């Protein structure tokens, strides 16, 4: 057995996340999950957090010992908190009460300062308010920057490594890429780099019902770290020229898919990742033989034990839809279906 590598800083662990074949379709077709929860802090967002900070420091915009402000629902904030700790910076997270409590605890555990934009009990998604406060606080502090993840090109550039990993691991052609769209960084950044290798790559974006990125009426939703609420401006990183199809997934479809995958495979994914898997399974069923579909699973489920994976919380929000579970089971392998029986 190969000896484990000795590392000297946590950022050396970013990337090289595994791929899991979740399901097969017509002969030769398969759905692969890129498991980004195996990054430090448990999500893909640490990739772009590192890129944003390093580019800001290299340009002189962020001096040594400086401060970072960012509006976050959690995963970006955890990534920035880890990078800030490693580089001797101060990270200030601007959050709302829609954010998962465990994510906020992790940020604080890594030394971040947390500022709420709403009073306790106000659980609305307040993206616009968060952004406005982060921008204002950064503007009045010396040696401080707002990383502005929704409009920062470094966000998308942070996912070039993810694309390279897919190319190396799969070797052959990737036909379809499916991912959640919030800032647009992970899906569009990965797709842009992949299309240099496979110009015919088909790209599918997924957002919650209630998000306005792909049109339609806006409204509340419970999926975290994805989509764009109606009162917030869509960020510049959402590159519609790269996205061939946009899909909307309900909270029930997303969360029940995540729960079903966990109980069948032992893999716990985040709520929005459940929405991505739901849409990817539908696609796999419609594609011709010999196709490879890659779904970006941007975080794990352990941060959602008091929401997505809590029966009482799901029931209280009317989200326990067993028809979704049955549909997901029908797409999974016969072995998986036998295991669930």
């Amino acid at each position: 057995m190969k000896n484990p590598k000795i590392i000297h800083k946590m950022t050396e662990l970013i990337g090289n996340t595994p791929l899991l074949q979740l399901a097969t379709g017509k002969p030769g077709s398969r759905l692969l999950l890129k498991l980004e929860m195996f990054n430090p802090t448990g999500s893909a967002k640490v990739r772009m957090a590192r890129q944003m900070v390093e580019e800001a420091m290299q340009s002189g915009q962020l001096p040594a010992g400086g401060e970072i402000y960012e509006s976050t629902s959690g995963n970006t904030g955890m990534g920035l908190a880890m990078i800030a700790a490693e580089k001797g910076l101060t990270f200030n997270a601007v959050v709302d009460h829609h954010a998962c409590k465990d994510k906020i605890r992790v940020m604080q555990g890594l030394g971040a300062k947390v500022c709420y934009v709403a009073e306790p009990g106000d659980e609305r998604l307040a993206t616009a308010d968060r952004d406005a406060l982060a921008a204002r606080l950064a503007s009045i502090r010396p040696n401080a920057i707002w990383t502005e993840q929704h409009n920062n090109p470094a966000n998308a550039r942070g996912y070039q490594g993810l694309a390279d990993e897919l190319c190396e691991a799969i070797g052959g052609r990737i036909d379809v890429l499916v991912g959640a769209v919030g800032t647009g960084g992970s899906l569009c950044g990965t797709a842009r780099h992949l299309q240099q290798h496979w110009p015919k790559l088909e790209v599918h974006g997924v957002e919650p019902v209630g998000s306005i990125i792909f049109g339609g009426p806006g409204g509340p939703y419970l999926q975290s770290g994805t989509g764009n609420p109606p009162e917030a401006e869509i960020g510049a990183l959402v590159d519609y020229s790269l996205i061939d199809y946009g899909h909307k997934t309900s909270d029930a479809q997303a969360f029940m898919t995540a729960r079903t995958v966990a109980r069948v495979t032992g893999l716990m994914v985040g709520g929005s990742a459940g929405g991505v898997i739901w849409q990817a399974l539908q696609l796999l069923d419609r594609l011709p033989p010999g196709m490879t579909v890659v779904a970006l699973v941007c975080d794990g489920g352990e941060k959602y034990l008091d929401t997505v994976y809590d029966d009482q919380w799901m029931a209280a929000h009317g989200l326990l839809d067993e028809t979704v579970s049955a549909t997901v089971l029908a797409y999974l392998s016969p072995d998986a279906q036998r295991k669930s029986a």
Side-chain angles (χ1 to χ4, degrees):
M1 181 177 176
K2 192 174 181 180
N3 289 331
K5 179 183 176 182
I6 296 173
I7 65 166
H8 298 88
K9 52 186 180 179
M10 286 299 293
T11 47
E12 294 178 44
L13 294 175
I14 296 174
N16 297 311
T17 55
L19 281 160
L20 172 70
Q21 180 170 301
L22 180 68
T24 57
K26 296 181 176 71
S29 290
R30 56 185 177 165
L31 169 59
L32 305 178
L33 307 183
K34 181 63 165 164
L35 301 181
E36 287 291 285
M37 71 279 284
F38 287 94
N39 281 303
T41 71
S43 88
K45 297 293 185 74
V46 72
R47 294 181 186 263
M48 63 88 147
R50 175 178 61 178
Q51 191 75 19
M52 291 193 301
V53 172
E54 289 186 347
E55 288 195 21
M57 295 186 78
Q58 289 164 7
S59 69
Q61 184 185 14
L62 178 63
E67 289 188 83
I68 302 164
Y69 285 83
E70 184 55 86
S71 156
T72 177
S73 60
N75 282 328
T76 297
M78 289 190 297
L80 285 169
M82 189 196 94
I83 303 300
E86 186 176 283
K87 295 184 179 296
L89 304 163
T90 299
F91 172 54
N92 301 273
V94 182
V95 303
D96 53 38
H97 293 283
H98 184 271
C100 172
K101 292 180 177 61
D102 283 340
K103 294 179 183 178
I104 294 172
R105 294 186 187 109
V106 170
M107 286 188 277
Q108 292 173 317
L110 290 169
K113 299 177 181 178
V114 174
C115 177
Y116 284 92
V117 297
E119 295 298 321
D122 181 354
E123 296 188 358
R124 64 190 174 88
L125 179 58
T127 305
D129 292 344
R130 292 191 333 233
D131 287 351
L133 182 58
R136 183 176 66 82
L137 292 174
S139 71
I140 62 176
R141 292 285 297 171
N143 301 322
I145 64 164
W146 172 33
T147 41
E148 197 176 356
Q149 61 170 315
H150 285 82
N151 295 305
N152 190 333
N155 175 341
R157 286 193 287 269
Y159 294 100
Q160 292 180 5
L162 193 159
D164 289 337
E165 290 168 28
L166 289 173
C167 293
E168 182 178 355
I170 295 172
R173 186 184 71 245
I174 300 174
D175 299 287
V176 179
L177 181 69
V178 188
V181 182
T183 69
S186 60
L187 181 63
C188 295
T190 303
R192 184 177 294 110
H193 203 58
L194 284 178
Q195 286 183 341
Q196 296 177 15
H197 301 274
W198 299 292
K200 294 184 179 180
L201 175 74
E202 190 173 283
V203 180
H204 292 251
V206 182
E207 68 174 337
V209 172
S211 171
I212 60 168
I213 294 172
F214 300 123
Y221 54 87
L222 295 169
Q223 294 170 64
S224 175
T226 186
N228 204 96
E231 72 277 4
E233 184 177 345
I234 297 171
L237 301 183
V238 179
D239 187 343
Y240 291 101
S241 70
L242 287 171
I243 303 172
D244 297 294
Y245 300 95
H247 306 276
K248 293 182 182 288
T249 308
S250 71
D251 290 333
Q253 290 168 337
F255 297 167
M256 291 301 293
T257 298
R259 288 162 60 96
T260 305
V261 168
R263 292 175 182 183
V264 167
T265 68
L267 172 72
M268 294 183 72
V269 305
S272 63
V276 171
I277 294 171
W278 170 262
Q279 294 295 343
L281 287 169
Q282 321 295 309
L283 288 170
L284 184 67
D285 195 45
R286 299 196 295 265
L287 292 172
M291 305 289 276
T292 293
V293 181
V294 173
L296 301 178
V297 175
C298 284
D299 79 337
E302 291 79 4
K303 307 171 189 120
Y304 308 96
L305 296 179
D306 58 353
T307 54
V308 175
Y309 293 95
D310 183 271
D311 291 350
Q312 291 183 336
W313 185 90
M314 289 284 290
H317 289 83
L319 298 173
L320 288 172
D321 187 345
E322 294 303 328
T323 62
V324 174
S325 292
T327 301
V328 173
L329 285 172
Y331 282 117
L332 299 182
S333 69
D335 286 342
Q337 292 183 50
R338 283 196 295 273
K339 183 179 176 182
S340 68

